[in-house]
Amino acid sequence: MADVQRQLDRVVSLMRAQQPVPPIGTVGLRNARFREGYSPESVTALFDNIAEWQRQLNIQHEIHEVESGEAAATPESDRLKWSRQQQVWVREITFHSTRFGPAYETDQVDDFLDNVLRAMGNGERLPDIKSAQFHMARAGRGGYDAAAVDHFLDQLERIRPLS
């Protein structure tokens, strides 16, 4: 239940900031075997509904851009092609939270990953990974394990678009 709530809090945060909500995967969610929890089917259905809502919102936004003449002038041939596997890899990454030891603020890491996914989805270059900086979580508050995030960023820096 805590994993689902964390994802929902992230969705609400993105919506309030008027930012796109990337697809949410259920692979990283823990199953509750001996405790109360949500059924996997209902969680998947909820996240699918959120994804459909975002898809519809994107369509409306694109229609508005075309009608108002604000559509991007980037030719299709100039777009980078990121593979679905690369995008799923970024979307499905999960970091363990820790209260002890070096940890990054979860919202900042999540926002950065959202920007990476948005760039991939739009066929753009990734945000500058070397300059990505996150505040350290306060002791006892918890955050994403800094070593795991740094390792992921090192891997992310090495991936290249298909074209």
Side-chain angles (χ1 to χ4, degrees), residues 19-87:
Q19 302 250 340
V21 178
I24 305 166
T26 58
V27 174
L29 300 178
R30 295 172 287 187
N31 287 328
R33 296 180 197 257
F34 302 110
R35 292 183 287 180
E36 187 177 336
Y38 302 118
S39 74
E41 296 80 19
S42 64
V43 172
T44 300
L46 173 63
F47 291 164
D48 287 347
N49 284 336
I50 292 171
E52 177 60 20
W53 168 82
Q54 183 63 54
R55 189 181 75 74
Q56 291 293 328
L57 188 63
N58 290 345
I59 290 170
Q60 290 175 356
H61 182 70
E62 288 171 10
I63 291 170
H64 173 73
E65 284 181 341
V66 169
E67 289 175 349
S68 65
E70 299 172 10
T74 305
E76 185 69 28
S77 61
D78 290 346
R79 291 180 53 143
L80 299 175
K81 302 229 186 281
W82 297 96
S83 75
R84 177 158 173 72
Q85 182 180 7
Q86 290 170 319
Q87 293 178 49

Side-chain angles (χ1 to χ4, degrees), residues 118-136:
R118 191 172 17 265
M120 287 177 149
N122 292 334
E124 300 169 351
R125 292 186 176 276
L126 299 183
D128 186 18
I129 296 163
K130 287 184 181 180
S131 67
Q133 294 183 355
F134 311 109
H135 291 110
M136 299 303 283

